[in-house]
Amino acid sequence: MTKQQHRWNLRLKSSNMYLGTVYLSEPLPEVEDVIMIGDKKYSILEMGSTRDASDVFVEEVKKK
């Protein structure tokens, strides 16, 4: 049996710039979680209501 995958279209919240599409299986990240895309970290700000094939808005986590 295969796991269900969720498709997320990642966009920067500030400019609505498309970053790419990722396919995830359970457990899914939640709002305020940090994810890695390449060598950059992004914080999840907002998700579509269905969590499947939806736009997910993120912001880059600034290095301290």
Side-chain angles (χ1 to χ4, degrees), residues 33-59:
D33 282 352
V34 174
I35 58 174
M36 292 282 300
I37 302 171
D39 61 348
K40 295 184 179 181
K41 292 182 182 181
Y42 294 91
S43 177
I44 298 172
L45 299 177
E46 185 179 318
M47 290 189 228
S49 59
T50 64
R51 295 179 57 168
D52 184 44
S54 57
D55 286 339
V56 175
F57 293 94
V58 297
E59 71 178 355

Side-chain angles (χ1 to χ4, degrees), residues 3-64:
K3 293 182 179 181
Q4 180 181 359
Q5 288 191 329
H6 301 271
R7 184 180 69 178
W8 284 4
N9 299 314
L10 298 176
R11 297 185 175 277
L12 278 179
K13 178 74 173 175
S14 59
S15 64
N16 201 33
M17 185 176 93
Y18 175 76
L19 296 174
T21 299
V22 295
Y23 294 86
L24 302 168
S25 59
E26 300 287 339
L28 294 175
E30 298 291 335
V31 171
E32 297 183 4
D33 282 352
V34 174
I35 58 174
M36 292 282 300
I37 302 171
D39 61 348
K40 295 184 179 181
K41 292 182 182 181
Y42 294 91
S43 177
I44 298 172
L45 299 177
E46 185 179 318
M47 290 189 228
S49 59
T50 64
R51 295 179 57 168
D52 184 44
S54 57
D55 286 339
V56 175
F57 293 94
V58 297
E59 71 178 355
E60 188 174 350
V61 175
K62 302 296 180 195
K63 295 179 182 175
K64 295 180 181 178

